[in-house]
Amino acid sequence: MLTGHTDAVVDVLPDADGRRLLSCSADGTVRLWDVAAARCVHVLTGHTAAVHSLAVTPDFLLAASGGEDRRARLWDLTTGRELRAFTGFSTAVTDVELAPDGALLLAGDERGRLLTWALDWEYDFGAATGVLRAESEPVIEELRAEVAVELPSRDDGRPALVEAMARIGERQRHAVIRTLELAAELDKVPSRDDTGYRLYMHSVAEDLASREPDTTPGTAEALTLLLRPEAELNRSETFWAGHFAAVLQDDLVTLAEAAPVLHSEGDPVAAERAWQLVVDVRSHLWDAGHVETQRAMLGWAAVLIDLRRQTEALALIRAVTSERERVLGPDHPATLEAITALASLLTDKGELDEAERLYAVLVPQLVRRRGPDDLRTLEARVGLARVHLRLGRHGDAAQTLREVLAKRRLRLGEHHADTLAVQAELDRLPLPGPVLPGPKRRGWRRRR
């Protein structure tokens, strides 16, 4: 009888000779047991909700688990140390599997999505030293799972997107053509597993070495130079890698500037494709947590809102908000920007309790960092008033709107659009009911 779990045991895995046992539980822990001694060797903690599934390598050195916290986790069973947490799921992780050599991890969620990671090891299990790194972690696949939407095929969307960019200018047309070509090369990397990825890099590197010295590398060679570590590049390759990185950054900035123009001109479909392309390439080549990638994700969400796809927009904004809170802190200006967008969208979707909780934290932080009269603080207070109004707290909403109206009149003027917008919201408030007369009070006069 192995006792220690404080809730239901969900899954158990014994080793080949039955001397060790791995178990997971609804208490959020994974436990490694010495069966002969009937004792717990390690309690693996990290999950914040019930653990649903387990996988382990035959040597019982490496284990994986998945749970309701929408995470798959990798464990060193020698030390009980968590090696890595894998994200990208919008629902509970219900199944995990490990290749026998520990080189591949697969995890699936209850909506039927499957994500795979090819793992490149530099790790000593006995000493718990070294690092575990993903050879090419599929960040954009995680993002696709998080927003629960398939990105449209580039083959289908390419002509329309090029045509839309050409309407803006020649520079924009060239930028989108180059970026689409590079994105198409990214899709050719075969599964991004360890062996296929290295073979692809090796084959393109051979083509690069055999070309004429005065010939500009092609798109596939440019991608290889961008993906290879700088330490592996010679002087000529380092020059071309820097050149292509600079050109690509300029192109992505151009597309990020053009997407809002397309949106304002009444072409939200092209604007969405432009934002998707920027997010896709940045997530592949750099990081989904990079500030420019997050800014593009917020731009993409704004278009999705206009396309009445609030659920997908909400998932994008949630992803940006949680990442900024983790990396930058809860009161960083960039985090407050994301929380503002999240609270506004939650209000529109009718999730008023969560929106009110966010505004209750957001407004004091904005007052502390930017002051009570800052325009962003006032905009957050207007958002809070809208929540109060939809919750039926008309008095609280009216008081907040009057205070904001007075401050906007001083800051912006009587006829500014933002001032008039608050006045219009105030005018739409329902009139208070008639005041009933109270009991007549007897008056007394002092005798002189």
Side-chain angles (χ1 to χ4, degrees):
M1 181 75 71
L2 308 177
T3 60
H5 284 298
T6 59
D7 207 331
V9 177
V10 180
D11 196 8
V12 291
L13 293 177
D15 70 354
D17 56 12
R19 294 180 179 179
R20 289 171 295 179
L21 186 74
L22 198 64
S23 64
C24 65
S25 168
D27 64 8
T29 66
V30 177
R31 291 176 182 258
L32 177 65
W33 306 88
D34 180 338
V35 175
R39 69 181 183 90
C40 180
V41 180
H42 292 303
V43 180
L44 312 179
T45 58
H47 284 288
T48 58
V51 185
H52 284 308
S53 56
L54 290 173
V56 65
T57 53
D59 56 13
F60 249 67
L61 293 179
L62 179 69
S65 60
E68 287 186 2
D69 58 358
R70 302 186 299 172
R71 299 287 188 275
R73 298 179 189 271
L74 209 57
W75 309 92
D76 175 358
L77 294 185
T78 305
T79 62
R81 176 187 176 200
E82 180 181 322
L83 298 174
R84 191 179 178 95
F86 297 91
T87 62
F89 302 94
S90 57
T91 54
V93 179
T94 55
D95 293 278
V96 290
E97 285 293 340
L98 280 168
D101 60 357
L104 188 69
L105 168 67
L106 299 92
D109 65 15
E110 60 187 10
R111 289 188 179 177
R113 296 187 188 86
L114 178 69
L115 297 183
T116 65
W117 289 268
L119 306 174
D120 182 22
W121 289 94
E122 287 183 5
Y123 190 74
D124 182 346
F125 281 95
T129 60
V131 295
L132 165 70
R133 64 178 188 268
E135 177 64 29
S136 185
E137 187 173 332
V139 180
I140 193 64
E141 276 69 23
E142 294 186 6
L143 179 63
R144 286 173 175 146
E146 180 67 26
V147 301
V149 61
E150 287 290 328
L151 295 179
S153 167
R154 293 195 188 92
D155 292 335
D156 296 338
R158 174 176 173 142
L161 185 55
V162 172
E163 182 182 350
M165 286 293 174
R167 293 200 306 267
I168 301 177
E170 193 65 15
R171 180 168 61 91
Q172 287 77 7
R173 186 178 73 86
H174 285 303
V176 74
I177 289 174
R178 285 192 295 261
T179 308
L180 283 167
E181 289 175 351
L182 187 69
E185 287 298 324
L186 276 169
D187 287 343
K188 293 179 183 178
V189 179
S191 303
R192 294 207 172 202
D193 59 63
D194 191 19
T195 304
Y197 180 69
R198 290 181 183 277
L199 288 174
Y200 173 81
M201 297 284 282
H202 179 70
S203 66
V204 180
E206 285 185 341
D207 294 340
L208 184 63
S210 63
R211 69 178 176 83
E212 295 296 327
D214 57 347
T215 305
T216 303
T219 304
E221 296 163 338
L223 174 61
T224 301
L225 294 175
L226 290 171
L227 291 174
R228 278 170 59 192
E230 189 174 352
E232 297 180 6
L233 303 176
N234 61 35
R235 181 177 298 179
S236 173
E237 292 169 337
T238 300
F239 165 78
W240 283 114
H243 168 75
F244 285 123
V247 170
L248 178 59
Q249 290 283 17
D250 288 343
D251 286 345
L252 292 173
V253 169
T254 299
L255 297 181
E257 292 172 348
V261 175
L262 292 171
H263 193 186
S264 64
E265 290 180 348
D267 194 350
V269 175
E272 186 203 358
R273 284 177 175 159
W275 282 126
Q276 286 177 336
L277 181 61
V278 173
V279 172
D280 199 347
V281 173
R282 283 196 178 278
S283 299
H284 270 96
L285 293 181
W286 289 287
D287 182 8
H290 190 274
V291 62
E292 294 298 333
T293 311
Q294 292 177 350
R295 189 170 289 120
M297 290 166 71
L298 292 177
W300 182 6
V303 180
L304 289 173
I305 291 171
D306 280 0
L307 291 172
R308 301 186 183 280
R309 291 158 59 184
Q310 284 93 343
T311 301
E312 298 160 36
L314 185 60
L316 277 172
I317 298 175
R318 281 192 191 279
V320 173
T321 304
S322 62
E323 182 68 12
R324 287 184 175 180
E325 284 179 335
R326 185 182 68 83
V327 176
L328 303 176
D331 60 345
H332 190 278
T335 306
L336 298 180
E337 174 196 19
I339 293 175
T340 301
L342 178 58
S344 176
L345 183 53
L346 286 170
T347 304
D348 293 341
K349 281 181 62 63
E351 300 181 25
L352 302 177
D353 291 338
E354 185 179 357
E356 186 178 28
R357 287 195 299 270
L358 287 176
Y359 278 124
V361 175
L362 175 64
V363 172
Q365 288 178 333
L366 286 172
V367 170
R368 185 171 61 253
R369 289 195 65 95
R370 300 190 177 278
D373 300 334
D374 185 83
L375 296 179
R376 278 158 288 199
T377 305
L378 297 179
E379 184 61 33
R381 294 192 66 193
V382 171
L384 180 58
R386 290 176 183 143
V387 174
H388 286 160
L389 179 61
R390 295 185 64 175
L391 289 172
R393 302 172 190 161
H394 298 160
D396 293 340
Q399 180 180 350
T400 301
L401 290 174
R402 289 192 191 100
E403 293 172 359
V404 172
L405 181 61
K407 292 180 182 296
R408 281 193 173 175
R409 280 173 173 166
L410 289 175
R411 289 289 305 274
L412 304 174
E414 186 79 28
H415 303 292
H416 191 277
D418 291 344
T419 306
L420 296 175
V422 176
Q423 181 65 65
E425 296 229 19
L426 198 55
D427 294 340
R428 284 196 295 269
L429 284 176
L431 295 174
V435 179
L436 299 177
K440 197 166 186 179
R441 298 183 59 187
R442 184 183 297 273
W444 296 90
R445 291 185 298 172
R446 283 184 66 182
R447 180 179 294 181
R448 293 187 179 180

